[in-house]
Amino acid sequence: MKLAFAALLLVSLVLASSLHAMAGGLSPQPAPGLCDTKCGERCQKAGEKDRCLQYCGICCQKCQCVPSGTYGNKSECPCYRDMKNSKGTAKCP
């Protein structure tokens, strides 16, 4: 009887943890192609376009938004605006 109870308890814990991961333990991802499209617009006039696209993509994946236009408008996305690099300057273009 004790063995059956222990097995039931173990199965319950495994199911509960997997349901937690499915329900909200994982962060939502932006729609496929959203970051590519938005960052393409944002970086179209950048001097270092490849670098702009790279960092914009990182910021978009984390913040799930990209400010409109090719420069400025960062108040539209506070997460994007406030992300800093290791030197303490703005990470997102």
Side-chain angles (χ1 to χ4, degrees):
M1 185 70 173
K2 289 182 181 180
L3 185 61
F5 180 73
L8 181 61
L9 183 61
L10 181 62
V11 169
S12 297
L13 288 173
V14 169
L15 286 174
S17 66
S18 64
L19 286 174
H20 172 69
M22 289 172 49
L26 303 174
S27 61
Q29 295 294 316
L34 173 74
C35 290
D36 292 341
T37 303
K38 291 283 194 176
C39 288
E41 293 171 11
R42 182 88 178 159
C43 296
Q44 68 183 353
K45 293 182 179 179
E48 294 285 336
K49 190 170 184 173
D50 291 340
R51 184 181 294 171
C52 180
L53 288 170
Q54 177 186 3
Y55 287 109
C56 180
I58 291 168
C59 296
C60 178
Q61 287 293 321
K62 183 165 183 173
C63 298
Q64 299 181 16
C65 65
V66 175
S68 61
T70 57
Y71 185 78
N73 301 322
K74 289 187 177 183
S75 61
E76 295 174 359
C77 184
C79 170
Y80 191 97
R81 176 194 65 214
D82 297 339
M83 199 176 300
K84 304 291 184 205
N85 63 19
S86 61
K87 295 177 184 174
T89 59
K91 179 174 191 157
C92 307

